[in-house]
Amino acid sequence: MAISGDEVLHVAHLARIALTPADVERFSAQLSSIVDHFAALAAVDTEGVEPTAHPLPLSNVMRADTVAPSLPQATVLANAPEQEDGFFRVRAVLE
Amino acid sequence: MTAIATDFETVIGLEVHCQLLTQSKMFCSCSVDYSGAAPNTHVCPVCLGMPGTLPVINERAIEFISRTGLALNCTISSFSKFDRKNYHYPDLMKGYQISQFDLPVCLGGYLDIEVDGYTRRVGITRVHMEEDTARLLHRTDAATGEGYSLVDVNRSGTPLMEIVSEPDMRTPAEAREYLVRLRQILRYIGVSHANMEEGNFRCDANISLRPRGQAEFGSKVEIKNMNSFRAVHDALVFEQQRQAEVLNSGGTIPQETRGWVDDSAITVSQRSKEDANDYRYFPEPDLPPLRLARMWVDDIAAALPELPAARDARLRALGLNEHEAATITESRGRAEYFDRLAEAIALGPERSPKLAANWLLGEVSRWLNEHTAEIDEFPLTADGLAELIRMSEDGQITAAVAKDVFEKMAATGKDAATIVAESGLAQISGDDELTEIARKVIAANQRAVDDYRTGKEAALNSLMGQVMRETRGRANPQTVTSILKRELTVK
């Protein structure tokens, strides 16, 4: 199944990745062959097989509703490239 | 050419997001009590989305969402799982929100609402569990004039429940009633403050129009940014009108998201809605699925309190009218106080419920309003108030004195009998004592006496008032009336 250049650009946009036209061409080919591989998986007969929600045989891993101390504000902000009045400061995101 | 306006039917569905009343966050042990706290002080590596951290499900949140599902007549899934909803926005620390896609905890319930005398059953599609996002403040740089955002992560990771209704509502009034009833239930079962103004109860509305009689839905618009029940109602009224005008002038409604602007009372187009595909949901690999045992669910169901609709029906069966029953069942605290009071009054099924309702909606409500207090802050116990009501009912004190004693009980914490004894407020029913006072009053109010004797019955009230003043309200009104009438006919 062929993944078009537009589809590559759409997925790249969702992931916020900038691609050159050469990238688009390359990934279009690579993603197409990956999706082809799923076609092989899809051919397997899975009649009566439960979908796998999780690879480990675990369920109901939960914690009690108790509070533990949080980090000090200075630690939280320690690696922030920009901060202001105790907040992280980021560029405005325009939709 | 004249356009004939089509008769449209409005179709409304609501999505409610509601923060749960847990102590800690959904997937980490940070406190959710961040209201008023300095930014980024209720935060840890998990809710900051640091690499290498692992979320762990808060058991209490699962209990709360199950309780909600049961109260909304949903099926609690014996198997459910969490999924990642991927999108980029600075309020999302990990680049995805942990939510539930195809296997939510609760499925297929309903909520009955009553509007203008008819009942509508609103289907509940699903209730799923997710985490709240960080809070953003949008600012403009004074130096460069460029916009930027400030991020406070405190809210991020707070347990958030999304309740999705079927598109079953047909008017903005129904939508508002649905929200009122939903909020009431959430408060009854103690899972959320459900306060829209505080932001722990938020509502997005989907609305579309279709020619009446048409089966297919029209294309829907999602409305956001509504901060009160009134705003939800007004936004739907506005949007209903706007869509009808567009359709009647031959236009089409694009599927889009619109924001309600409270100040100008209009909706404005926001961004075009992404496809669910663009969120690239996939199972959350960091969280094993939930298998909720039948017994665990049954225990939660058994512990549910009596819900508002059932209480309302029960109180009406006790003889209360529609207004009384609705007002008393508005909050669980008030409804439970009513039950305790009616039981403590113990004057039989004919009188007790009515007396309890009269006092609760009369003196108690007045006191609560005056003190801007909730019923759980009301100082009188049901037993204490019942004693006062019984004293009034069996004639130990007059109704007027009872109100006075009520105030003193609330102010001092003393019981009714003590206050009555200390202040000498016991009712005077003795004929001799009252006759003496009545004669004094008659002698001092010749004009009222003349009025009465010339046929003005109302003059009796004025004399009655004088006797009450003389006795500080302690005189038995019936006795006084008959004494006055007797004395006035004696020439």
Side-chain angles (χ1 to χ4, degrees), chain B residues 281-292:
Chain B
Y281 281 99
F282 64 87
E284 168 57 84
D286 289 342
L287 293 171
L290 291 173
R291 292 177 199 277
L292 301 180

Side-chain angles (χ1 to χ4, degrees), chain B residues 166-291:
Chain B
E166 290 288 308
D168 284 347
M169 287 157 274
R170 294 293 173 263
T171 65
E174 288 180 17
R176 180 168 53 193
E177 185 62 13
Y178 169 84
L179 292 176
V180 167
R181 293 301 150 213
L182 182 60
R183 175 180 66 179
Q184 184 184 32
I185 288 174
L186 295 174
R187 288 178 176 174
Y188 255 69
I189 62 176
V191 300
S192 177
H193 284 308
N195 190 322
M196 221 163 165
E197 282 75 14
E198 287 170 10
N200 48 49
F201 185 94
R202 302 164 218 155
C203 175
D204 299 334
N206 289 300
I207 173 169
S208 64
L209 264 52
R210 62 181 170 190
R212 203 168 288 281
Q214 178 184 303
E216 310 91 76
F217 293 132
S219 54
K220 70 178 178 187
V221 165
E222 183 175 12
I223 317 174
K224 291 180 176 288
N225 296 346
M226 299 164 294
N227 296 320
S228 65
F229 286 5
R230 183 198 50 76
V232 173
H233 177 265
D234 293 355
L236 287 168
V237 169
F238 173 87
E239 191 58 24
Q240 179 174 260
Q241 182 67 25
R242 186 190 71 84
Q243 292 188 17
E245 279 166 16
V246 171
L247 293 170
N248 273 325
S249 61
T252 53
I253 300 294
Q255 179 169 324
E256 62 172 348
T257 300
R258 298 178 71 87
W260 172 247
V261 186
D262 215 54
D263 294 337
S264 35
I266 56 166
T267 65
V268 293
S269 184
Q270 291 188 321
R271 61 195 153 93
S272 58
K273 188 135 173 73
E274 306 100 333
D275 259 335
N277 275 339
D278 286 347
Y279 288 129
R280 294 152 292 147
Y281 281 99
F282 64 87
E284 168 57 84
D286 289 342
L287 293 171
L290 291 173
R291 292 177 199 277

Side-chain angles (χ1 to χ4, degrees), chain B residues 114 181 184 311-313 315-317 319-331 334 338 354 357-358 360-362 365 369:
Chain B
E114 217 181 291
R181 293 301 150 213
Q184 184 184 32
R311 262 185 201 275
D312 190 81
L315 296 201
R316 289 199 211 183
L320 303 196
N321 66 36
E322 201 175 306
H323 168 76
E324 290 169 333
T327 313
I328 288 169
T329 53
E330 217 167 76
S331 84
R334 202 182 301 180
F338 168 84
K354 203 72 191 170
N358 288 345
L360 197 52
L361 300 178
S365 291
N369 285 338

Side-chain angles (χ1 to χ4, degrees), chain B residues 440-478:
Chain B
K440 219 166 82 186
V441 167
I442 287 169
N445 294 276
Q446 194 53 49
R447 197 158 141 215
V449 172
D450 292 343
D451 284 349
Y452 179 77
R453 285 183 173 148
T454 55
K456 286 187 186 156
E457 288 276 331
L460 197 64
N461 293 335
S462 138
L463 294 169
M464 175 82 162
Q466 291 296 324
V467 174
M468 282 301 175
R469 205 160 302 150
E470 287 287 319
T471 60
R472 290 184 296 137
R474 292 175 302 148
N476 179 315
Q478 283 81 32

